[in-house]
Each structure stands twice: as C-alpha cells, then as structure tokens.
C-alpha cells in the first residue's frame, strides 16, 4: 500500500499549532486505510499510534488525550451503500469518530486532519457533526489548504482543525487559508505564527473571529472574512443591491445529456424545429456563447423549455481551482443564439421583469468575477440553486447606468467605424483602375481619418481642458499655452501661476457653495472673511488651498451621497503629487509677489517646471469635465406637469459664446441668470453668490466673478478669466454675503 504524508508546509503549520496551543508535541493517531489503498505516515520523529480498525479510534483517542495533545487522522473512507443503509447514518466514517471523541479535561488539545467538506457543508449530517463536537469542544483554529497530503489530489481541499475542551468562556475562533498555488512557505509560516498570537484583526492569510458562529453555520474561510464582508457592503456603491432570486427565476431542463446522447430527442440541424442544445462547454469565460460546431447537439425541444433573448445561462459545475481566479461561467442569450435550449448541466436565469441593458450587463459582468463565486458560498463542485438565489448582485444607479449606456454606444460606434474602414481597405483592388482605387481610398477614408485624429486629441490634456473644462479654467489654460508659444518668458511664467491660482480659486468656490448648501461651515472660511473685510487685498492662492485641504480631510463630509460632486473634489489635493505641485506653485507665487523674481536666464527652465506642476494639478482635476458649469437663461414652470422647461448655456471650453440648450427639471426654485453646477446624477447646485456670471464692463465679454473685497461702500467682484473687477453697491449683495458667512 502507498503512504500519504503531510506536506512540508502542513507539517510546519501543525507543529507550530501544537507548540503554541499546548506547548508540547502531539501523539499522532491514525487508522488504516486513510483512503483507498493509502495509509497515513506520521512525520519522522513524531510519536505515532496506528489503529487498524476505525471503530477503535474514538476509544483510543480517549485513552491518549490525558497524556498530552493528540493529532487525529481518521480514515477518509466512505461506507458502501449497503453498509450505509444498514447503519442508517452518514456515509463518512469520520463523522461517527468525531462525535464520539470526548476531552478528558478543559485543557485537552486535539488537532484533526479531515477533508474541508464537513466543516463547510450545510447538509444535515455535517451540521449534526459540528453540533455534537460543539457540545464538548471549543474550535480554536481552522486552517484550510490544498495539497496538505501527498498522494491526495492537489485540487482537494483539506482542513486542520484544533480543538480544546469546552470552557465556560468561549475563546476566539481563528481562520487560516493557505494561499494557492505554490505559496511562499516562509511567508505563510510567519503569518500563521502571528495569527496564533492575535486576539483580533486580520493578517495576510488569516483572521480572528470574536463572535462564535452557531454549528448550523458553514465555516468556510470566506464566510466571515472581514475583507470579503467589506467588499459585500461596498456593492451598494454601484447603486442598489438585490438578491439574484429577486430578479430572476431559475430553471433546469429536465432533459439530461445522457438522454440526448441516447438519441431520444436528437435530430438534424437541418430539420424544421431543430433546436441547439447549449452545454457547459459552450459558455466561455469571457461571457460569450460559442458558435455551433460539429460537436453541437440538436434536438426537438418543446417551446416552453427553450431559451429566450435576455436569459442568463450559467454552468452548474465549478472548477475547484482556477488560476487566475474566475467567477461563474455565465453569458447572456441574444437573438443570434436562438433557437436554443439549455442542457441539464446549465442553469437558466430568466428575468422576472424586463431588465434594462445596463442592469443585465452589470449583473452578467459581476457574476463572472471571483467575488461573485465567493459570495455564493463555499466552493463546491456544483453550485446550488439556493446559493445562486441568495447571491447579492449590484444594480446600477442613474449615473452608472448612463456611463454604461454611453460606453456601449461608443463601443458600437467604434465597431461601425472599424467595419467602414475594413470596407474601404478591401475595396482597393475592386475598382477598374488604380487611379480610381486611389481616389476612393483617399476620399472615403477622409472622414475616418478625421474621426481618428479627433479621438486621439482626447488623450491630450490641453485639448481636453480647452474643450471640456468649465470656461474660466479653459480660458486661462488657452491663454497660458498662447503665452508660452509666443516666447514672452515673463508673460508666460505669470500666466502659468495665474492659471494655477484661478484653478484652485474656482474649485474652492465650488466647495464653499456646496458645503453651504449642506449647512456645513469650514474653518478656512474665517481667514477668507477677514481678508474680504480688510478691503485692500482679497483672498489668494494659500486661502483657496486651505479650503481644498480642509475639504479633503473634513469628517463632516465623509457621509456624503455617493454621487455628490464634493466626493470628486476632495480627491484633488489628497494625491501627494498634486499637493507637491500645489506647494511648489504656491511658493513661486509668493516669490513673485514679494519681488523674489526668477532671473531671466533661468526663466525657460522655471516655465517648464511650473507648467509641469500645473499640468499635474489639472490632470487631477479632470473630474471638472463631468461637472459642467451652467448659466440658466430662462425658466418656465408648468404647475400641472410639476416640471420646469429650462433654457441654459453650458459654459464648457475656452469661449463664452455657446449655444442655448433646453432641459426639463422637477425643481420650481431655479433662478434665471444664476450659475449652477450639474453633477453626474443631473442634479443642479446653485453657485450664487460664490460665483456669478455677467458681462465685464472693462472688456465687454461675459465673465465669471467671485467676491474679492468688501469695503464699506461696495462689494468688489473679480473675474476669474482676466482679473478685471466690478463694484456692486447694492445693499442686497452685502446682506447676501453676510447671510452666507462671508462678511
């Protein structure tokens, strides 16, 4: 007979476990055979006791435990069907052994090596085994892994479990999972030793559970893993979370593969009414359904058992180990896949109510992730319908739905352009003459080339800023690029610093407006209020940076809704590279203001460095392209429809002359002539009086203004685009600034 031994890594883990939990080496107790023709061979130097009959193991363990810790390796053999019927018990011999073992004292320690199945299964026999064990033992540690025993399939998962006599005060429960494949043994052993010293928290490969689960609950590793639980909670960040069973009905075809292969239902694909049989191999890992092949089965299937467009199909069988890890093999059925029916090894999910394309797409994508397989329960060869029905799946919110729709539309558009390009290329030799072919390719390909050039420009930061950023920033950026290209070093350097300050000023004004709307007052407002009231010089670079830094770290803003624009804005200076760039630009601005000017010889290099820092800041502020600045030009409220027809200008790009657009809004409080920020959910946020838009009396162009000084007789507003000022002597304006806490 062949011998099975503990792997090198498992032997180290078992040794450390007994050393830490009982301070002495164990006696190994095993029965013969372990499984099939295999017998267990204890590690060299360990005291070994082998019982030829499994019936004597529990009694023998009771005799040995008073003398020290015990490592029990019972037989993994299963009862034959006839014997099982006579015994009227579970198929596994070790169940009877485990339920019969009793600790002689509270400090008795026993380790057990078993298949992982009885610890993770929710079948009645496994629950009963865990229940009876819990009556007499505390589980101290469960260590799962594959390849723990030589001569046993490397795919089979085993568990080393450490037990101690049941105490009045329950100890914490520790879980450990040996990583796969080919783990770094030194790192695993080190982390295992640290876990044994822990009383809480998580390590690299294990964690401590303080609340002991009931025996009815499965003890698979991922079930209580804090990382997995956190990821489960994070699913709500997509929008909503529903159980899969709330969205779909589950079907399994009653016609088995065996029946099909016997020819009972088979037919020729050319015969009328022939239906393709979709088998597990037809569902690819990437979510596609393979086209029919010579091996495809065709059959006569009743219409009510056939698939429909929009159904999801999932393989019932799961590979025990997949590297890289993968989720369920699932695909969405399209019209092109029909007519078809699923085999009995494929589960069909049919939507209870029609799903939107983004909903179906997100669910299908999620099911193919390793997280979905993890959340479905312990990794079993066949996924149960109950586990699938209870699986939480994310549902997209409005913003994500819109993004997925736009991505899908973009993908389809790119595909059409590719097909158009292929058609042009393939037509080269179809014309009668080379001259005609040449002219056709040049003429027909012109639009495609222009599209490609336009698309490539989107990867250019400058183009994105000039065309998609809010007007005040786009204008400043265009002026900076123009100054640099003109070769006037002093003007270019000043333009870089001005643009950096106005970028921070604009975003800080957004922060002030958005926090005021939520009745949150930032401490940095005090310094701004003092400078406004001073009447000589208004707030500057450092004040705007203070607003953004405070917003990034403020605990008051941690509970904002997911789609609130402040969540994006807070990330700007949270990145170290952006904060370093901001500090460098701030120092340069201070040097300029205090006449510590850069030597003309050093200006070209200073411009390059300063512009690179500005580019880093702007790159981190790309979220501004998704937060358009709107000027409401007209609002017409319909009292019966309870909605408003809103005319507005979207001030995106480097020019204020833009077309007027129309939208509807459920709000009846929108202000004509005011500026608003529109977030990714489509909600409008009033920016008045932090930002106002009007024609500049100095340059006669429409401009964006913010409060710069508040002397006794007027409020002075300064333009973000060119620094021109206007005075507002209206008492209402001063009262409004007082209302928002700026004076």
């Amino acid at each position: 007979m062949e011998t099975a031994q503990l792997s090198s890594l498992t032997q180290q883990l078992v040794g450390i476990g007994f050393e830490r939990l009982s301070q002495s080496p164990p006696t190994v107790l095993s029965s013969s055979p372990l499984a099939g023709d295999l017998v267990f061979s204890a590690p060299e130097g360990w005291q070994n006791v082998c019982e030829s009959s499994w019936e004597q193991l529990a009694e023998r363990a009771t005799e040995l435990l008073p003398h020290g810790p015990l490592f029990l390796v019972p037989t993994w053999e299963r009862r034959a069907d006839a014997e099982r019927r006579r015994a009227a018990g579970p198929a596994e011999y070790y169940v009877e052994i485990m339920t019969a073992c009793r600790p002689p004292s509270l400090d008795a320690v026993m380790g057990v090596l078993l298949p992982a199945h009885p610890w993770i299964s929710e079948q009645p026999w496994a629950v009963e085994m865990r229940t009876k064990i819990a009556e007499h033992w505390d589980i101290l540690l469960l260590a799962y892994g594959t390849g723990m025993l030589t001569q046993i399939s490397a795919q089979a998962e085993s568990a080393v479990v450490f037990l101690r006599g049941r105490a009045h005060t329950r100890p914490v429960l520790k879980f450990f999972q040996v990583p796969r494949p080919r783990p770094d043994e030194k790192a695993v052993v080190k982390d295992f030793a640290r876990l044994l010293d822990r009383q809480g928290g998580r390590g690299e490969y294990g964690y401590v559970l303080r609340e002991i689960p009931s025996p009815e609950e499965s003890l698979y590793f991922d079930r209580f893993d804090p990382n997995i639980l956190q990821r489960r909670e994070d699913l709500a960040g997509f929008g909503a979370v529903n159980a899969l069973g709330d969205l779909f009905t589950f079907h399994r075809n009653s016609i088995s593969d065996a029946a099909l292969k016997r020819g009972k239902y088979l037919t020729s694909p050319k015969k009328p009414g022939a239906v393709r049989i979709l088998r597990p191999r037809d569902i690819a890992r990437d979510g596609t359904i393979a086209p029919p092949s010579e091996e495809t089965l065709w059959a006569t299937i009743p219409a009510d058992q056939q698939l429909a467009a929009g159904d999801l199909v999932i393989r019932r069988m799961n590979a025990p180990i997949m590297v890289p890890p993968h989720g369920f093999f699932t695909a969405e059925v399209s019209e092109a896949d029909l007519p078809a029916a699923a085999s009995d090894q494929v589960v069909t999910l049919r939507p209870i109510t029609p799903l939107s394309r983004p909903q179906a797409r997100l669910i299908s994508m999620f099911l193919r992730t390793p997280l979905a397989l993890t959340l479905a329960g312990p990794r079993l060869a066949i996924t149960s319908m109950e586990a699938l029905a209870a699986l939480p799946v994310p549902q997209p919110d409005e913003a994500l739905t819109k993004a997925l729709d736009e991505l899908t539309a973009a993908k389809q558009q790119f595909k059409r352009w590719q097909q158009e390009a292929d058609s042009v290329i393939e037509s080269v030799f179809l014309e009668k003459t080379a001259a005609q072919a040449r002219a056709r390719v040049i003429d027909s390909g012109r639009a495609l080339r222009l599209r490609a050039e336009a698309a490539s420009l989107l990867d250019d930061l400058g183009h994105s800023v000039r065309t998609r950023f809010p007007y005040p920033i786009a204008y400043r950026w265009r002026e900076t690029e123009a100054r640099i290209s003109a070769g006037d070093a002093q003007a270019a350097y000043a333009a870089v610093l001005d643009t950096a300050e106005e970028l921070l000023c604009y975003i800080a004004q957004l922060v002030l407006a958005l926090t005021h709307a939520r009745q949150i007052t930032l401490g940095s407002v005090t310094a701004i209020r003092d400078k406004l009231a001073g009447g000589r010089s208004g707030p500057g670079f450092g004040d705007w940076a203070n607003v953004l830094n405070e917003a990034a770290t403020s605990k008051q803003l941690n509970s904002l809704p997911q789609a609130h624009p402040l969540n994006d804005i807070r990330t700007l200076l949270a990145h170290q590279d952006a904060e370093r760039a901001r500090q460098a630009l701030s120092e340069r601005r201070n040097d300029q203001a205090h006449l510590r000017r850069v030597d003309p010889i050093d200006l070209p290099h200073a411009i390059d460095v300063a512009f690179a820092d500005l580019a880093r800041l702007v790159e981190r502020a790309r979220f501004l392209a998704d937060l358009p600045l709107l000027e409401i030009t007209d609002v017409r409220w319909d009292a019966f429809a309870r909605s408003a027809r809103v005319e507005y200008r979207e001030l995106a790009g480097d020019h204020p002359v833009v077309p007027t657009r129309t939208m509807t809004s459920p709000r009846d409080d929108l202000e004509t002539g005011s500026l608003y920020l529109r977030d990714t959910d489509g909600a409008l946020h009033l920016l008045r009086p932090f930002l106002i838009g009007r024609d500049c009396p100095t340059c006669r162009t429409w401009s964006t203004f913010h409060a710069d000084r508040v002397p006794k007789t007027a409020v002075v507003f300064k333009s973000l685009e060119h620094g021109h000022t206007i005075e507002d002597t209206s008492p209402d304006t001063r009262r409004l600034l007082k209302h928002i806490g700026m004076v």
Side-chain angles (χ1 to χ4, degrees):
M1 298 182 75
E2 292 186 273
T3 60
Q5 298 178 327
L6 295 177
S7 68
S8 170
L9 176 57
T10 306
Q11 183 175 332
Q12 294 180 69
L13 299 183
V14 172
I16 293 173
F18 278 107
E19 178 185 335
R20 299 292 183 87
L21 298 175
S22 65
Q23 290 77 49
S24 59
T27 297
V28 179
L29 175 62
S30 62
S31 60
S32 182
L34 173 68
D37 294 329
L38 289 176
V39 295
F40 180 73
S41 177
E44 186 177 349
W46 291 24
Q47 184 179 351
N48 184 36
V49 176
C50 184
E51 284 288 338
S52 59
S53 172
W54 68 268
E55 290 95 336
Q56 304 300 319
L57 276 183
E59 183 179 345
R60 192 73 164 125
T62 304
E63 295 175 4
L64 294 172
L65 275 169
H67 304 288
L70 183 69
F71 185 50
L72 178 62
V73 186
T75 180
W76 291 13
E77 286 285 304
R78 293 168 59 90
R79 301 176 192 269
D81 288 343
E83 183 183 355
R84 182 181 181 184
R85 285 193 293 270
R86 288 195 304 271
E92 289 77 8
Y93 292 117
Y94 57 72
V95 174
E96 189 171 330
I97 298 168
M98 292 301 302
T99 55
C101 285
R102 299 288 186 272
S105 61
L106 295 182
D107 59 353
V109 174
M110 181 172 71
V112 185
L113 176 64
L114 287 177
H117 189 63
W119 304 104
I120 66 177
S121 173
E122 293 180 342
Q123 294 180 12
W125 66 266
V127 172
E128 183 180 3
M129 185 193 88
R130 296 195 296 267
T131 300
K132 291 185 176 180
I133 290 174
E135 292 174 359
H136 305 281
W137 300 89
D138 285 324
I139 302 178
L140 304 179
L141 173 85
L142 292 108
Y144 295 105
T146 55
M148 285 188 161
L149 279 168
T150 62
Q151 306 300 324
I152 297 288
S153 171
Q155 307 292 320
E157 189 170 35
S158 309
V160 173
V161 183
F162 285 90
L163 308 169
R164 179 181 287 158
R166 176 71 181 266
H168 297 296
T169 302
R170 305 295 301 278
V172 295
L173 175 57
K174 301 178 181 181
F175 287 82
F176 193 80
Q177 177 79 65
V178 177
R180 52 192 180 190
R182 297 181 181 179
D184 180 348
E185 290 195 8
K186 290 184 178 179
V188 172
V189 169
K190 187 175 181 180
D191 193 65
F192 183 75
R194 283 199 295 261
L195 177 66
L196 293 175
D197 293 332
R198 285 180 177 272
Q199 291 302 308
R202 198 191 195 285
E204 184 72 19
Y205 307 117
Y207 60 92
V208 178
L209 187 64
R210 293 183 177 276
E211 296 183 8
I212 308 303
S214 67
E216 289 80 12
E217 294 185 80
S218 171
L219 297 177
Y220 67 98
F221 180 83
D222 293 327
R223 172 66 180 83
F224 307 100
D225 184 353
N227 287 354
I228 299 298
L229 296 179
Q230 180 61 51
R231 294 189 65 187
R232 182 188 182 110
E233 292 179 5
D234 285 345
L235 289 179
F238 289 104
V241 177
N242 292 100
L244 199 61
D246 294 337
L247 303 173
F248 296 87
T249 57
F250 294 74
H251 306 273
R252 262 190 67 203
N253 203 321
S254 59
I255 303 173
S256 67
D257 268 7
L260 287 169
K261 290 177 180 178
R262 286 196 299 269
K264 185 177 179 181
Y265 300 94
L266 290 184
T267 187
S268 166
K270 296 181 180 179
K271 287 189 176 182
V275 173
R276 176 192 179 180
I277 301 300
L278 203 63
R279 295 188 286 175
R281 70 177 66 179
D282 298 321
I283 305 172
R285 178 172 288 190
D286 63 358
T288 59
I289 295 176
S293 67
E294 294 180 356
E295 297 180 355
T296 299
L297 299 179
W298 299 82
T300 304
I301 303 293
D304 61 351
Q305 296 185 35
Q306 295 181 24
L307 295 169
D311 287 349
L312 296 183
V313 286
I314 300 179
R315 291 188 190 181
R316 290 188 66 218
M317 301 291 291
N318 295 310
I321 298 178
M322 288 180 284
V323 180
H326 199 273
F328 293 101
F329 282 67
T330 183
E332 185 177 1
V333 178
S334 66
E335 291 286 355
D337 302 313
L338 302 176
S343 77
D344 67 333
Q345 295 303 310
V346 172
V347 179
T348 302
L349 277 63
R350 179 156 295 168
I352 297 173
T353 57
L355 300 177
S356 66
R357 292 298 308 134
Q359 274 183 299
R361 190 180 307 113
L362 188 65
I363 291 172
S364 182
M365 290 166 52
F366 174 71
L367 289 174
R368 294 197 296 273
T369 65
L371 178 61
L373 198 59
T374 296
L375 294 180
R379 181 71 62 85
L380 302 176
I382 298 179
T383 301
S384 69
M385 298 284 197
E386 293 79 8
L388 278 175
L391 176 66
V393 292
Q395 296 288 282
D397 59 15
E398 185 177 348
L400 183 56
T401 297
K402 180 182 177 183
L404 290 173
D405 280 339
E406 290 173 349
L407 285 172
T408 301
K411 178 183 176 181
Q412 293 170 345
Q413 183 64 66
F414 292 151
K415 188 175 181 179
R416 287 193 291 268
W417 288 346
Q418 181 183 2
Q419 292 170 346
E420 188 177 339
D422 289 340
S423 176
V424 173
I425 293 170
E426 291 169 0
S427 70
V428 171
F429 297 105
L430 298 181
E431 299 293 343
K432 293 181 179 180
T433 66
Q436 290 176 330
R438 178 180 179 276
R440 173 178 169 78
V441 170
I442 293 174
D443 184 58
S444 300
R446 183 175 294 112
L448 289 170
R449 295 195 307 274
L450 291 175
R451 290 171 192 158
E453 290 174 7
S456 65
L457 285 174
L458 295 177
D459 292 328
D460 175 65
L461 177 63
H463 181 269
S464 296
V465 176
R466 292 191 306 272
T467 58
R468 296 305 309 148
F469 270 48
Y471 168 62
I473 310 306
Y475 178 92
R476 283 286 187 177
W477 181 273
R478 185 194 68 179
E479 182 182 7
T480 299
E481 288 186 326
R483 296 288 187 185
I484 292 175
S485 64
D488 185 342
Q490 289 288 358
Y493 188 64
V496 171
L497 301 182
D498 288 347
T499 302
E501 178 169 341
E502 298 310 326
L503 171 68
L504 296 189
C505 176
Y506 176 79
I507 301 176
Q509 298 297 337
L510 300 185
V511 171
L512 295 175
L514 294 169
T515 53
H516 177 264
R518 299 190 69 85
Q519 299 181 338
I520 296 173
T521 302
L522 301 179
S524 50
V525 171
T526 302
I528 295 175
R529 183 169 58 239
D530 292 343
K531 288 190 176 181
L532 289 175
R536 290 187 298 275
S537 61
F541 204 116
D543 299 295
W544 311 133
N546 290 338
V547 171
L548 298 180
N549 279 319
E550 184 178 357
T553 58
S554 174
K555 293 182 179 179
Q556 298 180 83
L557 304 180
N558 288 342
S559 58
L560 291 169
Q562 186 69 29
H564 197 281
L566 277 172
N567 288 322
D568 284 327
I569 293 172
R570 297 177 71 197
T571 66
L572 175 62
L573 298 185
H575 296 281
Q576 291 185 355
D577 60 337
E579 175 57 14
R580 284 195 294 267
R582 195 279 306 168
Q583 290 177 357
L585 290 167
S586 179
E587 291 173 3
R588 291 180 182 277
R589 187 69 162 173
N590 286 336
D591 288 343
Q592 284 285 96
H594 294 88
L595 303 181
R596 295 189 293 270
R597 304 189 186 280
V598 179
D599 189 278
I601 297 176
D602 298 325
L603 262 180
H605 176 69
I607 291 171
D608 290 342
V609 175
F611 187 73
D613 285 335
L614 174 62
R616 288 190 189 91
L617 273 180
V618 173
E619 180 68 42
R620 290 298 186 186
R622 276 188 182 267
F623 55 80
L624 290 176
D626 292 325
L627 301 174
L629 178 66
L630 308 184
E631 181 192 28
I632 304 298
T633 58
D634 187 51
V635 179
R636 298 180 185 179
W637 176 253
D638 186 330
F640 292 99
R642 304 302 299 170
S643 67
R645 182 180 181 275
V646 182
E647 293 184 357
Y648 68 96
R649 298 195 307 141
E650 183 174 334
L651 298 160
D654 57 14
H655 201 285
V657 179
V658 293
T660 298
R661 300 178 180 178
T662 303
M663 65 178 174
T664 59
S665 172
R667 292 178 52 176
D668 61 356
D669 61 346
L670 297 178
E671 301 177 356
T672 299
S674 290
L675 296 180
Y676 286 82
L677 184 77
R678 186 171 63 195
D679 65 25
T680 54
D681 275 349
L684 298 177
H685 303 266
L686 178 65
L687 300 180
R688 185 180 68 88
F690 299 93
L691 287 175
I692 61 173
R694 62 180 61 179
D695 291 333
C696 175
T698 303
C699 62
R700 305 297 192 272
T701 58
W702 188 96
S703 305
T704 314
F705 292 87
H706 69 91
D708 182 57
R709 286 173 289 128
V710 187
K712 295 181 179 180
T713 57
V715 176
V716 179
F717 289 91
K718 186 171 75 170
S719 166
L720 284 163
E721 290 80 9
H722 35 66
H724 297 160
T725 60
I726 56 175
E727 289 191 1
D728 189 330
T729 58
S730 170
D732 292 339
T733 302
R734 181 180 288 271
R735 281 196 296 269
L736 180 56
L737 290 180
K738 184 176 182 180
H739 174 74
I740 65 172
M742 301 301 287
V743 295

Short mmCIF file of all heavy atoms in Angstrom, two decimals, residues 88-90 95 99 118 121-135 215-216:
data_model
loop_
_atom_site.label_atom_id
_atom_site.label_comp_id
_atom_site.label_asym_id
_atom_site.label_seq_id
_atom_site.Cartn_x
_atom_site.Cartn_y
_atom_site.Cartn_z
N ALA A 88 -27.80 3.35 8.76
CA ALA A 88 -28.75 4.47 8.78
C ALA A 88 -28.08 5.75 9.29
O ALA A 88 -28.65 6.52 10.04
CB ALA A 88 -29.96 4.14 9.65
N GLY A 89 -26.82 5.95 8.89
CA GLY A 89 -26.08 7.13 9.32
C GLY A 89 -25.38 7.77 8.14
O GLY A 89 -25.62 7.42 6.98
N PRO A 90 -24.50 8.73 8.40
CA PRO A 90 -23.78 9.41 7.33
C PRO A 90 -22.83 8.46 6.61
O PRO A 90 -22.41 7.44 7.16
CB PRO A 90 -23.02 10.52 8.05
CG PRO A 90 -22.90 10.05 9.45
CD PRO A 90 -24.14 9.25 9.73
N VAL A 95 -17.33 10.91 10.70
CA VAL A 95 -18.39 11.61 11.43
C VAL A 95 -18.66 10.91 12.75
O VAL A 95 -18.76 11.54 13.81
CB VAL A 95 -19.67 11.69 10.57
CG1 VAL A 95 -20.81 12.30 11.39
CG2 VAL A 95 -19.42 12.51 9.32
N THR A 99 -17.81 12.58 16.54
CA THR A 99 -18.87 12.81 17.52
C THR A 99 -18.70 11.96 18.77
O THR A 99 -19.31 12.25 19.81
CB THR A 99 -20.24 12.51 16.89
OG1 THR A 99 -20.24 11.18 16.36
CG2 THR A 99 -20.54 13.49 15.77
N PRO A 118 -16.85 18.57 5.73
CA PRO A 118 -17.74 18.57 6.90
C PRO A 118 -17.76 19.89 7.66
O PRO A 118 -18.70 20.16 8.40
CB PRO A 118 -17.19 17.44 7.77
CG PRO A 118 -15.77 17.28 7.35
CD PRO A 118 -15.76 17.57 5.88
N SER A 121 -19.91 22.32 4.86
CA SER A 121 -21.20 21.88 4.32
C SER A 121 -22.35 22.27 5.26
O SER A 121 -22.20 22.31 6.48
CB SER A 121 -21.20 20.36 4.13
OG SER A 121 -22.49 19.90 3.76
N GLU A 122 -23.49 22.55 4.66
CA GLU A 122 -24.70 22.84 5.43
C GLU A 122 -25.68 21.67 5.37
O GLU A 122 -26.85 21.82 5.75
CB GLU A 122 -25.36 24.12 4.90
CG GLU A 122 -24.50 25.37 5.16
CD GLU A 122 -25.14 26.64 4.65
OE1 GLU A 122 -26.08 26.53 3.82
OE2 GLU A 122 -24.72 27.73 5.07
N GLN A 123 -25.22 20.52 4.91
CA GLN A 123 -26.06 19.33 4.89
C GLN A 123 -26.31 18.86 6.33
O GLN A 123 -25.48 19.08 7.22
CB GLN A 123 -25.40 18.22 4.08
CG GLN A 123 -25.27 18.57 2.59
CD GLN A 123 -24.61 17.46 1.80
OE1 GLN A 123 -24.44 16.35 2.30
NE2 GLN A 123 -24.22 17.77 0.58
N PRO A 124 -27.43 18.21 6.58
CA PRO A 124 -27.80 17.84 7.95
C PRO A 124 -26.73 17.03 8.68
O PRO A 124 -26.49 17.26 9.87
CB PRO A 124 -29.09 17.04 7.75
CG PRO A 124 -29.68 17.58 6.48
CD PRO A 124 -28.51 17.90 5.61
N TRP A 125 -26.09 16.07 7.99
CA TRP A 125 -25.10 15.25 8.69
C TRP A 125 -23.91 16.07 9.15
O TRP A 125 -23.35 15.82 10.23
CB TRP A 125 -24.64 14.09 7.79
CG TRP A 125 -23.89 14.53 6.56
CD1 TRP A 125 -24.40 14.75 5.32
CD2 TRP A 125 -22.49 14.79 6.46
NE1 TRP A 125 -23.43 15.15 4.44
CE2 TRP A 125 -22.24 15.17 5.12
CE3 TRP A 125 -21.43 14.75 7.35
CZ2 TRP A 125 -20.96 15.51 4.66
CZ3 TRP A 125 -20.16 15.08 6.90
CH2 TRP A 125 -19.93 15.46 5.57
N ALA A 126 -23.50 17.09 8.33
CA ALA A 126 -22.36 17.93 8.71
C ALA A 126 -22.75 18.86 9.87
O ALA A 126 -21.96 19.07 10.81
CB ALA A 126 -21.89 18.74 7.52
N VAL A 127 -23.95 19.41 9.82
CA VAL A 127 -24.43 20.27 10.91
C VAL A 127 -24.51 19.47 12.20
O VAL A 127 -24.12 19.96 13.28
CB VAL A 127 -25.79 20.88 10.55
CG1 VAL A 127 -26.39 21.61 11.75
CG2 VAL A 127 -25.67 21.84 9.37
N GLU A 128 -25.00 18.25 12.12
CA GLU A 128 -25.11 17.41 13.31
C GLU A 128 -23.74 17.10 13.89
O GLU A 128 -23.54 17.12 15.11
CB GLU A 128 -25.84 16.11 12.97
CG GLU A 128 -26.06 15.21 14.19
CD GLU A 128 -26.80 13.93 13.85
OE1 GLU A 128 -27.09 13.70 12.65
OE2 GLU A 128 -27.07 13.15 14.78
N MET A 129 -22.75 16.84 13.00
CA MET A 129 -21.41 16.57 13.49
C MET A 129 -20.84 17.78 14.23
O MET A 129 -20.30 17.66 15.33
CB MET A 129 -20.49 16.20 12.31
CG MET A 129 -19.08 15.78 12.75
SD MET A 129 -17.88 15.72 11.39
CE MET A 129 -17.30 17.42 11.39
N ARG A 130 -20.97 18.98 13.63
CA ARG A 130 -20.44 20.18 14.26
C ARG A 130 -21.18 20.47 15.57
O ARG A 130 -20.58 20.96 16.54
CB ARG A 130 -20.55 21.37 13.30
CG ARG A 130 -19.70 21.23 12.05
CD ARG A 130 -19.54 22.55 11.32
NE ARG A 130 -20.77 23.09 10.81
CZ ARG A 130 -21.26 22.90 9.59
NH1 ARG A 130 -20.59 22.11 8.75
NH2 ARG A 130 -22.38 23.46 9.20
N THR A 131 -22.48 20.19 15.61
CA THR A 131 -23.26 20.42 16.82
C THR A 131 -22.77 19.54 17.97
O THR A 131 -22.59 20.01 19.11
CB THR A 131 -24.74 20.16 16.56
OG1 THR A 131 -25.20 21.04 15.51
CG2 THR A 131 -25.58 20.40 17.81
N LYS A 132 -22.55 18.27 17.69
CA LYS A 132 -22.10 17.35 18.74
C LYS A 132 -20.68 17.65 19.17
O LYS A 132 -20.34 17.52 20.37
CB LYS A 132 -22.23 15.91 18.24
CG LYS A 132 -23.68 15.47 18.10
CD LYS A 132 -23.79 14.01 17.73
CE LYS A 132 -25.25 13.57 17.68
NZ LYS A 132 -25.38 12.13 17.31
N ILE A 133 -19.84 18.07 18.24
CA ILE A 133 -18.48 18.48 18.62
C ILE A 133 -18.54 19.69 19.54
O ILE A 133 -17.83 19.76 20.55
CB ILE A 133 -17.65 18.78 17.35
CG1 ILE A 133 -17.34 17.49 16.59
CG2 ILE A 133 -16.35 19.50 17.72
CD1 ILE A 133 -16.64 17.72 15.26
N ALA A 134 -19.42 20.67 19.20
CA ALA A 134 -19.50 21.90 19.99
C ALA A 134 -20.01 21.66 21.41
O ALA A 134 -19.80 22.50 22.29
CB ALA A 134 -20.41 22.90 19.28
N GLU A 135 -20.67 20.53 21.64
CA GLU A 135 -21.13 20.23 22.99
C GLU A 135 -19.98 19.92 23.94
O GLU A 135 -20.11 20.08 25.16
CB GLU A 135 -22.11 19.05 22.95
CG GLU A 135 -23.43 19.37 22.25
CD GLU A 135 -24.30 18.13 22.09
OE1 GLU A 135 -23.83 17.03 22.52
OE2 GLU A 135 -25.42 18.24 21.57
N PRO A 215 -23.24 26.11 15.24
CA PRO A 215 -22.86 24.93 14.44
C PRO A 215 -23.64 24.82 13.14
O PRO A 215 -23.20 24.15 12.21
CB PRO A 215 -23.18 23.76 15.38
CG PRO A 215 -23.14 24.33 16.76
CD PRO A 215 -23.65 25.73 16.60
N GLU A 216 -24.82 25.45 13.08
CA GLU A 216 -25.60 25.37 11.85
C GLU A 216 -24.96 26.15 10.71
O GLU A 216 -25.22 25.88 9.54
CB GLU A 216 -27.01 25.92 12.08
CG GLU A 216 -27.91 25.04 12.94
CD GLU A 216 -27.62 25.20 14.42
OE1 GLU A 216 -26.88 26.16 14.78
OE2 GLU A 216 -28.11 24.39 15.22
#
